[in-house]
Structure formats: C-alpha cells, structure tokens
RNA sequence: UCCCCGAUAGCUCAAUCGGCAGAGCGGGUGGCUGUUAACCACUAGGCUGUAGGUUCAAGUCCUACUCGGGGAGCCA
C-alpha cells in the first residue's frame, strides 16, 4: 500500500507535522543553501512548494528535479517564510519516481492550445486543462444533483439504435459485417447477415427513447454520449459529445422554459461555489468577463420572445447584420449572438417557430403554422438548448410524420404512446460540452473534452 | 463542403523593398541568490511544412498539396 497525502489535503491542513506527497514537478530552481520545487498532483489547482536543504541533498540527488518529473517527497509541513505561499514542505527525502529527458514537451511557460491539442496525453498536466477537467467533474455532479433535487430519475438510453432520429443530424452506422465483403442481395446490402439483422446506428439523440420513460416515471433525464457524423468542422462541434436530455410528463412549454432556467442558474451557482479557484483562473487567463457572465445567469431572468418578435427585432437591426431573416428562415449564429448579446445581453428563449423548420415531434400550436419549440441562445456561444412541448395528439403527430416523409411503421411504438394513455409532455436537449465552454470561457469544444473526436480527426 | 489566415530552433514568435537565419523561454555549463514562469553570463540547437516554378539571389513572389486556426452552412 502506498502512503501518500494529496496536496489539496496538505494545503488545507495545519503546519507542524510530517507527511508524504507525490506529484509532478512544475518548476524547480536551486539556490546556494536551498532548492525549491513546485509540485502538483492534480488534486487541486495549487502547487505545493517543496524545499530541499542543499547540505542534505547533493547536486546529484537534485539533478532529477526537472519540469515534468514525477517525484515522491517526505518531510515536515511548515509555515513558509517566503511570499508566494502560506505553507511548504521541508523535505527529508526525495525520490524521483519517474524521470524526464530533455524532450519533455511541456515547459514552464505558456503553450498554445493548438500545440497542446496535439498531445492529449500530456495536456491534463497543464493548469488550463487540469482546471477544465476538474470543472467538468463538478459540473457533472451539479447536473445529477439538480435533477435529483427536482425529483427526476436518471435513465440510460441505448447508444445503439435502430432509428436515425429524424432531423437530429447524420448518423454513424454500426455493423459487424466486414466492410471489405458486405453481403449483398439483389443489389442491396443484406442486413440479415449483420449483428442485429437490421441496420443499426449510434444514437444522435436519446429523446425518442426518453419519452416512453417520462410517460411512465413522470420526470426523467438522460446524460450521456451522443454521436453525430455531421461534417461540421467548427469550434463548437464534436462528433462525440455529451448531452443532457430531460423529458417531463405534464409539462407545457412554459414549464419547460422555467426548468431550463432553473437548471442554468443552479449549474452556474454550483460551479461558482465549488470551483471558485478554477473560475478565477479562467477569468484571469481566458475570459475577463467570466464573473459577469455568471452574475448575469444567476441574477437576471432570461429573456423570452417568440420567433415572430425575434424576426422583428432582427429586421430592425437590419443594416448591422449580414443577413436579415424572413419567416421560415432558421436563425444563423450571427442572429443568435445578436439577440442574446446585443438585444438582451443575457440568455434568451425564442419560442414558437414555424412548423416547417422544426421536427415532426414538436407540438403544433393553435395557429396551425407554428410549433411549441424553444431554443435558448446565449451571448458568445449561441445556441445552448433546444427543446419543445411534444406533440401528444396522435392525428397531428401522424400527419406531421407523413409530411416529413417518414416511415410510420418504424415509429409505431412512438405513435402508440399517443394511442394509449397519451399525456402532455415536454423536454429539451442541452450540449454538456458547450455548457462547459460557457462556464469556463474556453472557446473551442476540443479544449473541454479530454479526447475530442471531430470531423476528420481523432485526437 | 466553401471562404479567409497561417506554417521559421523543442516551445512562443521576429526577420524592412526579394539580399549573411534572430530573440525570449526550454536544454547544457558557470555565477548569484529563501526562490516564486527567479536572475546574470556563456553555449549547443535550423534542408524556414512538402513538391515544383520565377530569379543572379527566395523564409519572403507564383502553383499544387499536407497540416493547423478562424469564419460560413448545419446543429447541441
């Protein structure tokens, strides 16, 4: 058994005792009488300064104390006479657990995020990525806590599905057939030889699978990976990302929006409290207005306008925009940023979109031409959430599915939910990694995911 | 997929009109010092992304490609 105390624990404890720490050297420097090493073990953002008395430690023993080396140090926790830290470890023993050679790529100085992206195995050792991944953990917990406190049940939908979830994006196909010799029959792929004896895909959304659970358990949420084969090569798209998809029986669109807003406020408050050091770090190094962003989320009510009102607002801004949308257009990222950034200066809900630009499952409004859908646009990052009240009336749902050219037989189970004990219900989807971008200020989704998968690239 | 920008030492970047390849950091050596991305001196380190072309001369201009970044579209 390895005896060891985390640096987090050391820094939170009292001075005047012996301990043992392990960690990676961030910086090291030697003076005539003493040598210093700042070591970090990932348990917290702060380094522990370890001091070596040079009468006790020969030059030879200290020579392995290089940036990146993994070390074990034992000694006394003492008050630091220096300025930069409250306490430090006065070492009695030093062991180089894992040495480094001079090819170790991480240096004391700042590296570009692009450079670090090329080494996903090493970048967690930098302050930036350690902070991102620590916050990622806390945000996950915030999400589970929020839904638990709200009376939701956490469900795990299948990742392999038989449907290609209408409208949600391109799918990755899953097969056990050899691609070099795909069984064919009458010019078509013969799926009777495939693993499931039918085409199978990686899930692009858990919504359709979550609805039946909501119509039994009341309030449920999913939180897991989603796969999209969209050839979108942008800083906000990943081929594999995590989504939060709550689904609630007896929720109309307004209930839905209220929930989204409570969710966002809860997450921001939770992270601001639990990750105060990390938030401060990101504010200092990446987004000077991050604190303001948190305050805006927590303290202000989100904006709420309809698609129609948004169109009006955008046409008034006309000259300042590249394009002005007309009825039936989807909003571009420029429109989203304008509404959230310039018009409201805070996250804003846009509701009641034309039916023709939204999927078949969104509930048709009384006007017959719009649907009870909602998007949440945030300043800087654009669309964060997409949701809707679901169409619970069988005849409406069938009509819209037919209009969309869908094979009703494939969705028979989905339609049966409306045939037997249907109920008004709503839900939404939120991109977890984008939320993390919003709360860290990181501007590329590839910098908030440990091993990003993107169009044309596996890091 | 389209548009724009970029690629120079291990890293971050300079290099004027096309005219000798530079600095800081990191590495090595020495000095100084309870130091804080320590500091000072010296030192090693380069087929300027790849392949062609123009020119007396190309890091610099032209073409193609590769890789990286940003934007658009689509979405979360």
């Amino acid at each position: 058994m390895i005896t060891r105390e985390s640096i987090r624990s050391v820094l939170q404890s009292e001075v005047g005792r012996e301990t043992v720490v392990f960690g990676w050297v961030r910086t090291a420097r030697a003076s005539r009488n003493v040598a210093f090493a700042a070591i970090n073990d990932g348990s917290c953002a702060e380094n522990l300064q370890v001091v070596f008395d040079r009468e006790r430690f020969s030059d030879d023993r200290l020579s392995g104390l290089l940036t990146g080396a993994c070390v074990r140090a034992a000694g006394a926790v003492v008050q630091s006479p220096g300025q930069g830290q409250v306490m430090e470890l006065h070492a009695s023993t030093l062991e180089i657990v894992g040495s480094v050679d001079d090819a170790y790529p991480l240096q004391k100085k700042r590296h570009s995020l692009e450079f670090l992206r090329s080494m996903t195995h090493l970048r967690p050792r930098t302050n930036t990525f350690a902070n991102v991944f620590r916050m990622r953990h806390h945000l996950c917990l915030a999400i589970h806590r929020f839904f638990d406190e709200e009376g939701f049940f956490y469900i795990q939908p299948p990742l392999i599905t038989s449907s290609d979830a209408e409208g949600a994006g391109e799918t990755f196909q899953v097969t056990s057939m050899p691609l070099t010799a795909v069984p064919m029959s009458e010019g078509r792929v013969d799926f009777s030889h495939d693993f499931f004896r039918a085409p199978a895909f990686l899930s692009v959304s858990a919504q359709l699978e979550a609805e039946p659970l909501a119509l039994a358990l009341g309030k449920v949420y999913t939180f897991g990976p989603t796969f999209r084969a969209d050839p979108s090569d942008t800083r906000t798209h990943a081929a594999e990302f995590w989504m939060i998809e709550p689904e609630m029986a007896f929720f109309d669109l307004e209930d839905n929006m209220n929930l989204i807003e409570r969710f966002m406020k809860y997450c921001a408050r939770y992270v601001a409290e639990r990750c105060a050091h990390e938030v401060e770090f990101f504010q200092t190094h990446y987004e000077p207005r991050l604190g303001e962003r948190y305050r805006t989320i927590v303290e202000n009510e989100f904006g709420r306008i309809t698609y129609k009102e948004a169109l009006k607002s955008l046409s008034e801004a006309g000259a300042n925009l590249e394009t002005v949308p007309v009825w039936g257009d989807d909003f571009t990222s420029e429109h989203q940023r304008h509404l959230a950034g310039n018009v409201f200066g805070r996250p804003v809900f846009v509701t009641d979109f034309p039916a023709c630009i939204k999927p078949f499952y969104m509930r048709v409004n009384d006007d017959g031409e719009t649907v009870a859908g909602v998007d949440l646009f945030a300043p800087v990052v654009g669309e964060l959430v997409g949701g809707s009240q679901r169409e619970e009336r069988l005849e409406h749902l069938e009509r819209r599915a037919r209009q969309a050219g869908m094979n009703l037989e494939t969705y028979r189970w989905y339609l049966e939910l409306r045939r037997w004990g249907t109920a008004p219900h709503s839900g939404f989807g939120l991109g977890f990694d984008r939320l993390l971008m919003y709360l860290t200020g990181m501007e590329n989704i590839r910098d908030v995911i440990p091993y990003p998968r993107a169009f044309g690239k596996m890091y």
Side-chain angles (χ1 to χ4, degrees):
Chain A
M1 185 181 156
I2 294 175
T3 301
R4 162 260 173 170
E5 185 179 2
S6 74
I7 287 173
R8 178 187 173 84
S9 163
V10 171
L11 293 177
Q12 285 175 348
S13 65
E14 300 296 311
V15 296
R17 63 198 181 81
E18 297 285 319
T19 193
V20 181
V21 298
F22 284 75
W24 291 271
V25 175
R26 286 294 178 79
T27 71
R29 41 192 175 271
S31 297
R32 177 183 293 277
N33 300 316
V34 288
F36 302 93
I39 75 169
N40 186 289
D41 68 358
S43 59
C44 59
E46 292 75 29
N47 299 328
L48 176 66
Q49 172 157 282
V50 185
V51 186
F52 301 93
D53 192 331
R54 296 193 75 179
E55 283 184 6
R56 195 170 196 161
F57 294 91
S58 65
D59 290 0
D60 196 43
R61 287 183 69 193
L62 294 176
S63 65
L65 213 54
L66 299 168
T67 299
C70 180
V71 299
R72 175 187 185 276
V77 182
V78 299
Q79 206 160 25
S80 176
Q83 293 292 309
Q85 57 283 316
V86 175
M87 59 176 76
E88 62 191 22
L89 187 75
H90 206 105
S92 55
T93 68
L94 167 69
E95 184 191 335
I96 306 297
V97 177
S99 61
V100 286
D101 56 36
D102 60 12
Y104 183 66
L106 300 182
Q107 302 175 8
K108 299 177 193 181
K109 63 175 239 173
R110 198 182 157 276
H111 292 289
S112 71
L113 295 172
E114 294 79 14
F115 172 68
L116 293 171
R117 251 170 244 159
S118 72
M119 44 189 84
T120 47
H121 60 310
L122 295 175
R123 66 179 186 167
R125 294 192 197 177
T126 64
N127 290 329
T128 295
F129 286 94
N131 281 325
V132 167
F133 298 142
R134 272 188 293 266
M135 193 187 278
R136 197 176 163 99
H137 160 80
H138 286 293
L139 186 57
C140 284
L141 279 191
I143 287 161
H144 286 302
R145 285 191 173 204
F146 171 80
F147 284 116
D148 185 53
E149 287 171 20
E150 289 265 347
F152 281 65
F153 298 104
Y154 177 39
I155 58 162
Q156 295 78 36
L159 297 185
I160 299 173
T161 65
S162 55
S163 68
D164 63 350
E166 194 57 29
E170 295 297 314
T171 53
F172 288 100
Q173 191 157 359
V174 177
T175 183
S176 61
M177 297 188 291
L179 290 178
T180 48
V182 178
M184 303 291 285
S185 169
E186 293 171 6
R188 298 182 137 195
V189 176
D190 183 0
F191 283 101
S192 69
H193 290 87
D194 204 353
F195 189 89
F196 297 107
R197 307 197 195 295
F201 308 91
L202 288 180
S203 175
V204 294
S205 165
Q207 180 199 319
L208 300 190
E209 285 85 2
E211 284 185 50
L213 277 299
L215 292 174
L217 302 179
K219 290 187 285 189
V220 300
Y221 72 105
T222 71
F223 180 27
T226 293
F227 307 89
R228 304 250 173 120
D230 295 321
S232 312
D233 192 9
T234 82
R235 63 185 181 82
T236 52
H237 287 83
E240 177 180 335
F241 62 99
W242 277 50
M243 252 208 307
I244 302 143
E245 295 188 284
E247 203 63 40
M248 302 76 68
F250 318 116
F251 267 53
D252 66 13
L253 191 66
E254 190 182 347
D255 296 321
N256 202 7
M257 285 190 280
N258 292 341
L259 179 72
I260 295 167
E261 186 161 347
R262 282 203 301 282
F263 172 83
M264 292 290 295
K265 285 173 158 56
Y266 186 98
C267 288
R269 253 196 314 265
Y270 187 96
V271 167
E273 193 179 306
R274 290 304 185 93
C275 307
H277 279 101
E278 284 82 358
V279 173
E280 197 184 324
F281 173 88
F282 292 122
Q283 166 146 323
T284 305
H285 292 95
Y286 290 96
E287 174 51 80
R289 298 173 67 178
L290 192 61
E292 191 184 324
R293 182 180 293 180
Y294 277 77
R295 280 192 298 279
T296 300
I297 297 171
V298 172
E299 292 168 10
N300 297 289
E301 294 205 349
F302 293 1
R304 298 189 184 199
I305 54 170
T306 64
Y307 174 85
K308 206 169 186 174
E309 291 162 348
L311 278 188
K312 188 161 172 259
S313 170
L314 288 165
S315 67
E316 280 163 6
N320 301 320
L321 299 173
E322 296 245 332
T323 61
V324 177
V326 297
W327 184 267
D329 286 344
D330 236 328
F331 296 132
T332 65
S333 46
E334 182 194 26
H335 300 148
Q336 297 168 8
R337 281 192 290 263
H338 178 77
L339 288 170
N342 303 340
V343 179
F344 283 86
R346 57 202 153 103
V348 55
F349 291 109
V350 180
T351 61
D352 303 301
F353 294 87
C356 55
I357 57 170
K358 290 294 182 185
F360 78 105
Y361 53 72
M362 291 194 181
R363 190 179 194 278
V364 176
N365 288 326
D366 292 344
D367 61 18
E369 63 177 5
T370 60
V371 291
V374 56
D375 283 349
L376 179 68
F377 300 142
V380 186
V381 295
E383 184 176 350
L384 264 184
V385 181
S388 69
Q389 182 168 345
R390 316 306 189 192
E391 183 56 82
E392 83 282 14
R393 299 161 300 186
L394 183 60
E395 64 279 16
H396 284 85
L397 191 62
E398 283 183 337
R399 182 168 47 78
R400 294 219 55 216
R402 270 196 214 95
Q403 280 171 358
M406 297 165 58
N407 177 2
L408 294 195
E409 194 48 39
T410 311
Y411 293 91
R412 185 166 150 188
W413 61 273
Y414 190 76
L415 296 168
E416 282 178 351
L417 292 174
R418 279 70 180 173
R419 187 172 155 202
W420 298 319
T422 193
H425 63 291
S426 297
F428 65 88
L430 184 149
F432 171 70
D433 312 277
R434 286 188 184 172
L435 178 61
L436 187 56
M437 288 170 72
Y438 195 49
L439 295 177
T440 56
M442 300 301 288
E443 293 185 344
N444 193 310
I445 200 166
R446 295 167 199 188
D447 295 330
V448 298
I449 299 175
Y451 298 93
R453 271 81 180 98
F455 178 58
K457 205 167 306 158
M458 275 212 260
Y459 289 87

